[in-house]
Amino acid sequence: MLLSMEFDIKAGDFVLAGEASSKIKDALKKLGVKPEILKKVAIISYEAEMNIVIHSVGGVLKAIISKDKIEIIAEDRGPGIENIELAMMEGYSTAPEEIRNLGFGAGMGLPNMKKYSDHFEIESQKGTGTRVYMVVFNK
Amino acid sequence: MPFNLHSIMLDREKCRGCTNCIKKCPTEAIRVRSSKARIIDQRCIDCGECIRTCPYHAKYAVTNSLDDIKKYEYKVALPAPSFYAQFETDDINKLLHALLEIGFDDIFEVAKAAEIVTEFTKEFISKKRDKRPIISSACPAVVRLIQTKFPDLIDNILPLASPMEVAAHLAKKRINRQKGIEIDRIGAFFISPCAAKMTYVNLPLGFERSYVDGVIAIKDIYGLVRSKLKSMNDVEPISISSGKGIGWAASGGESLALGIDEYVNVDGIHNVIKVLEEIENGRLNNIVYFEGLACSGGCVGGPLTVENPYVAKNRIKKWSSKLADKAQILEENTRKIVNDLGIKMEDLLFRKELEANPVLELDSDIEEAMKKYERVNEILKILPGLDCGACGSPTCKTLAEDIVRGLANDTDCIFILRENIKELANKMVELSNKLPPSLERDEE
């Protein structure tokens, strides 16, 4: 059995930001997922959501929950990542000044997503968008 | 949580079955059934929010009476720092003497214990550098909130006994040494601003047993202490607390005493929830210490206090600065107690692991829980989403969950009931137009 959730994420909306990952967390708590699994998913889904808010022109955050694993998929539209290797480095950020002033865009998003997921894939096309696929095994 | 261990109770006579309390409960622990509020024991964290919200004063906290102290041969009062802020007085010693006059034999200031906890917290923080932020365990309602709603943050909780517990522990040790009285003949009573502390004594967090024997509400002895204060003149000084310990009464005082910059202090249970959400998202990893207090303003805003919390907070501030010039002597006092009684940080560490409280789970089997979760969402689509509370559940979402758990029906929703009645009425009209064949006439 699968439980899928999908959320539209608006770009630049810092008021609503975090709501989708909050709902995913809430579902995991209702499902009785173990605390250590919950912690990992909480961080990766929040970071993925924030990345869409900060860096894209909008996108979707999906969660597919099954007995064995939790998949988090973040797909956004434009502008894409020019250099993925660089983007994966801790502290590297392309976030503009005003977003850094809000306490976001410290360049830890992608590295954290990789660190806290058991499986991590990223594809990006300059000008088209970015897709991040993450798995946390539920064991 | 087992039954009868909670301190928050309902006066059925006074309860009108309104929905004020169910709306404010942070763990959705209250339902209205048969015109009366009902607290779900397993969900209640004893934060006292319902006591504060009830317009009919139907919620109350069960605490010990002053008479209960008579069961013990030697009675020691453990006044909470917030106790100092309840009265207009120029001398804390007068307050402590007033406690002696109402029946206690001895005092151990919880503010002093708070200073000791502060020292050991510093030690803990310097040893455990990987956990960020460390979450204060001083407020039992916040600890239970984490066990219930934020199980993934249990690991972040500071595994140190709270000042109340430390005060009771040290008081008994000291009295036993000084006077040779056996520990079980000493009764240690916390003079409390808060209901959650009573629950803590019944069901300690991090320990099998509490050293505290009872909890007396500040409001219950307020009048008595006040009248004793009036006639109190110069008294022998017995207070050994510094502003740092007394400061714990108000939100932020605990963090301030730690002397670190990277802390966040939050008061009010709903605000605490918001910040815990952020901690969960990994947003506060650069913060070393998180002080969350369930009551607005901190312990001075506790449901068992009397004085206006803002006035009380100001008094705490005044006491803290008034005692600042004695800081060094008072700090030496702290060290002396710790050395004399031979207390190490390890003695105050939790002996029992904190466990997650699984009441939010829809089912213990994940596949079953997933099915139920989907059903909740289906039911939610039918419900009006007004969160009116008329069904007795705080929100439509909670009603949907209650239905799936088998604790409620969809017709508990007055809108669905109305729809059903409308359908039924239409059917009745339709039926009433039908005649038995014997009476039917051919239309010509």
PDB file of all heavy atoms in Angstrom, chain B residues 399-410:
ATOM      1  N   LEU B 399     -12.341  15.345  14.370  1.00  0.00           N
ATOM      2  CA  LEU B 399     -13.572  14.542  14.292  1.00  0.00           C
ATOM      3  C   LEU B 399     -13.362  13.381  13.324  1.00  0.00           C
ATOM      4  O   LEU B 399     -13.707  12.235  13.635  1.00  0.00           O
ATOM      5  CB  LEU B 399     -14.766  15.401  13.846  1.00  0.00           C
ATOM      6  CG  LEU B 399     -16.059  14.596  13.597  1.00  0.00           C
ATOM      7  CD1 LEU B 399     -16.571  13.942  14.885  1.00  0.00           C
ATOM      8  CD2 LEU B 399     -17.155  15.459  12.986  1.00  0.00           C
ATOM      9  N   ALA B 400     -12.753  13.696  12.172  1.00  0.00           N
ATOM     10  CA  ALA B 400     -12.498  12.641  11.185  1.00  0.00           C
ATOM     11  C   ALA B 400     -11.647  11.535  11.805  1.00  0.00           C
ATOM     12  O   ALA B 400     -11.918  10.345  11.610  1.00  0.00           O
ATOM     13  CB  ALA B 400     -11.821  13.235   9.954  1.00  0.00           C
ATOM     14  N   GLU B 401     -10.642  11.920  12.560  1.00  0.00           N
ATOM     15  CA  GLU B 401      -9.793  10.919  13.218  1.00  0.00           C
ATOM     16  C   GLU B 401     -10.575  10.139  14.268  1.00  0.00           C
ATOM     17  O   GLU B 401     -10.436   8.920  14.380  1.00  0.00           O
ATOM     18  CB  GLU B 401      -8.581  11.589  13.866  1.00  0.00           C
ATOM     19  CG  GLU B 401      -7.557  12.051  12.849  1.00  0.00           C
ATOM     20  CD  GLU B 401      -6.406  12.849  13.455  1.00  0.00           C
ATOM     21  OE1 GLU B 401      -6.209  12.778  14.683  1.00  0.00           O
ATOM     22  OE2 GLU B 401      -5.736  13.552  12.690  1.00  0.00           O
ATOM     23  N   ASP B 402     -11.393  10.862  15.016  1.00  0.00           N
ATOM     24  CA  ASP B 402     -12.226  10.195  16.025  1.00  0.00           C
ATOM     25  C   ASP B 402     -13.166   9.171  15.369  1.00  0.00           C
ATOM     26  O   ASP B 402     -13.384   8.089  15.910  1.00  0.00           O
ATOM     27  CB  ASP B 402     -13.045  11.228  16.819  1.00  0.00           C
ATOM     28  CG  ASP B 402     -12.194  11.995  17.819  1.00  0.00           C
ATOM     29  OD1 ASP B 402     -11.021  11.605  18.023  1.00  0.00           O
ATOM     30  OD2 ASP B 402     -12.694  12.985  18.392  1.00  0.00           O
ATOM     31  N   ILE B 403     -13.710   9.542  14.214  1.00  0.00           N
ATOM     32  CA  ILE B 403     -14.622   8.621  13.511  1.00  0.00           C
ATOM     33  C   ILE B 403     -13.854   7.360  13.117  1.00  0.00           C
ATOM     34  O   ILE B 403     -14.291   6.236  13.367  1.00  0.00           O
ATOM     35  CB  ILE B 403     -15.248   9.293  12.256  1.00  0.00           C
ATOM     36  CG1 ILE B 403     -16.186  10.441  12.661  1.00  0.00           C
ATOM     37  CG2 ILE B 403     -16.009   8.265  11.407  1.00  0.00           C
ATOM     38  CD1 ILE B 403     -16.664  11.323  11.513  1.00  0.00           C
ATOM     39  N   VAL B 404     -12.655   7.572  12.543  1.00  0.00           N
ATOM     40  CA  VAL B 404     -11.856   6.429  12.101  1.00  0.00           C
ATOM     41  C   VAL B 404     -11.417   5.569  13.296  1.00  0.00           C
ATOM     42  O   VAL B 404     -11.324   4.349  13.189  1.00  0.00           O
ATOM     43  CB  VAL B 404     -10.643   6.933  11.273  1.00  0.00           C
ATOM     44  CG1 VAL B 404      -9.645   5.831  11.031  1.00  0.00           C
ATOM     45  CG2 VAL B 404     -11.137   7.507   9.949  1.00  0.00           C
ATOM     46  N   ARG B 405     -11.183   6.195  14.407  1.00  0.00           N
ATOM     47  CA  ARG B 405     -10.809   5.436  15.606  1.00  0.00           C
ATOM     48  C   ARG B 405     -12.025   4.766  16.264  1.00  0.00           C
ATOM     49  O   ARG B 405     -11.891   4.103  17.284  1.00  0.00           O
ATOM     50  CB  ARG B 405     -10.172   6.353  16.646  1.00  0.00           C
ATOM     51  CG  ARG B 405      -8.777   6.845  16.299  1.00  0.00           C
ATOM     52  CD  ARG B 405      -8.300   7.833  17.347  1.00  0.00           C
ATOM     53  NE  ARG B 405      -7.220   8.681  16.873  1.00  0.00           N
ATOM     54  CZ  ARG B 405      -5.929   8.387  17.001  1.00  0.00           C
ATOM     55  NH1 ARG B 405      -5.584   7.298  17.603  1.00  0.00           N
ATOM     56  NH2 ARG B 405      -5.005   9.203  16.547  1.00  0.00           N
ATOM     57  N   GLY B 406     -13.209   5.054  15.720  1.00  0.00           N
ATOM     58  CA  GLY B 406     -14.417   4.459  16.272  1.00  0.00           C
ATOM     59  C   GLY B 406     -14.942   5.176  17.510  1.00  0.00           C
ATOM     60  O   GLY B 406     -15.702   4.628  18.301  1.00  0.00           O
ATOM     61  N   LEU B 407     -14.542   6.427  17.676  1.00  0.00           N
ATOM     62  CA  LEU B 407     -14.950   7.164  18.873  1.00  0.00           C
ATOM     63  C   LEU B 407     -16.055   8.182  18.586  1.00  0.00           C
ATOM     64  O   LEU B 407     -16.526   8.855  19.497  1.00  0.00           O
ATOM     65  CB  LEU B 407     -13.733   7.899  19.466  1.00  0.00           C
ATOM     66  CG  LEU B 407     -12.524   7.018  19.794  1.00  0.00           C
ATOM     67  CD1 LEU B 407     -11.297   7.870  20.113  1.00  0.00           C
ATOM     68  CD2 LEU B 407     -12.845   6.106  20.977  1.00  0.00           C
ATOM     69  N   ALA B 408     -16.411   8.314  17.310  1.00  0.00           N
ATOM     70  CA  ALA B 408     -17.462   9.283  16.959  1.00  0.00           C
ATOM     71  C   ALA B 408     -18.152   8.833  15.675  1.00  0.00           C
ATOM     72  O   ALA B 408     -17.698   7.895  15.017  1.00  0.00           O
ATOM     73  CB  ALA B 408     -16.841  10.662  16.773  1.00  0.00           C
ATOM     74  N   ASN B 409     -19.252   9.490  15.329  1.00  0.00           N
ATOM     75  CA  ASN B 409     -19.987   9.179  14.096  1.00  0.00           C
ATOM     76  C   ASN B 409     -20.018  10.404  13.201  1.00  0.00           C
ATOM     77  O   ASN B 409     -19.923  11.527  13.696  1.00  0.00           O
ATOM     78  CB  ASN B 409     -21.438   8.819  14.427  1.00  0.00           C
ATOM     79  CG  ASN B 409     -21.493   7.526  15.192  1.00  0.00           C
ATOM     80  OD1 ASN B 409     -20.910   6.529  14.779  1.00  0.00           O
ATOM     81  ND2 ASN B 409     -22.160   7.557  16.331  1.00  0.00           N
ATOM     82  N   ASP B 410     -20.218  10.165  11.894  1.00  0.00           N
ATOM     83  CA  ASP B 410     -20.264  11.335  11.012  1.00  0.00           C
ATOM     84  C   ASP B 410     -21.479  12.210  11.299  1.00  0.00           C
ATOM     85  O   ASP B 410     -21.442  13.417  11.074  1.00  0.00           O
ATOM     86  CB  ASP B 410     -20.173  10.939   9.527  1.00  0.00           C
ATOM     87  CG  ASP B 410     -21.261   9.976   9.120  1.00  0.00           C
ATOM     88  OD1 ASP B 410     -22.013   9.521  10.016  1.00  0.00           O
ATOM     89  OD2 ASP B 410     -21.376   9.681   7.914  1.00  0.00           O
TER      90      ASP B 410
END
